[in-house]
Amino acid sequence: MSTGCFACAAENFNFLSSSGQPLMIPGVVFGCAYDTRKISFGRLEEFKVAGILGLGYAPISFPLQQSYQTGKVFSMCLTRQREIQTYLRFGKDVPTPPGGLRVTKLVFFKDIPYYYVNLLDISVHGQKLLIDPNVFAVRNQGTSGGCLMDNGSSFTFLIRPAFNAVVQFLEMYFMRFPRLIRGGRPLGPPFELCYKWMTPLPPLPTLTFHFENADLVINPEELFIKVHAEQQGNDLFCLAFIANDARTILGSVHQSNYLFIYDLNQKLLKFAPEDCSKNS
């Protein structure tokens, strides 16, 4: 529920250093909010979420509060396996993968502390969809449009014209498999493109986000998800994207098994494929 006011607290926070030793950081400001009411984390409530760590670039975010230690650089590597623990790393503890990194610009706006990237186009099964780049343009100083990275969203929200282009291509792609039957709406997330589960599944395509100077490839195991149907109880496999009328949001499912490095000093997002179950 709303407190109706802006409030913060400060406390000593304990972390694990890169050498494995405990590290106490005094006076970390946390719990700041102007207005919080009826917040729901959906299925995350099963895991008794205690709070959210602010990793934006507002002055009160953790990377900027501790910039003298973190150098305004942090990394994350997510896995879809809930039982596997992964790490959020800062400063000198951020790894450098041996295969190199793909690099694209981070786009900042003064009053909208989201991490935007310049999305130019999308490919499915190796074929560019030739979506008008204006579809992905940022509008109104970041209040709408654009493409942002958001680990707080499980699935990816794709702006409607691009979503329609992806669905149209996939419908044509799956027509080559006559045994496939289009399914209904699933229980849970409002996925729009679903087919009845079959064994074995047909070959599923990859999808590539073409960012400025860097490509992010989404493998079939992240692009599609097995879910239950609302009726008849049949299993479905669905495109794990949700249409959105405002902007594109790249969710955590489609960031899994990549190492992402946020370099706030250089305003760069660096990333590389990674087995995130291996303590990256």
Side-chain angles (χ1 to χ4, degrees), residues 61-75:
S61 71
F62 181 79
L64 267 67
Q65 280 193 67
Q66 303 302 317
S67 60
Y68 67 98
Q69 290 183 318
T70 67
K72 298 183 184 179
V73 177
F74 64 92
S75 73

Side-chain angles (χ1 to χ4, degrees), residues 15 20 65 105 116 130 138 157 194 198 222 229 253 259 270:
F15 295 87
Q65 280 193 67
K105 290 193 302 186
Y116 278 98
L130 301 179
V138 178
F157 292 82
C194 298
M198 59 182 293
E222 278 79 44
V253 167
L259 171 69
K270 308 173 185 180

Side-chain angles (χ1 to χ4, degrees), residues 73 75 89 91-103 259-261 263 270-274 279-280:
V73 177
S75 73
R89 299 181 182 276
K92 295 179 181 179
D93 197 37
V94 170
T96 301
L101 291 160
R102 305 166 195 178
V103 181
L259 171 69
F260 285 96
I261 300 173
D263 186 332
K270 308 173 185 180
F271 59 94
E274 182 68 83
N279 190 21
S280 296

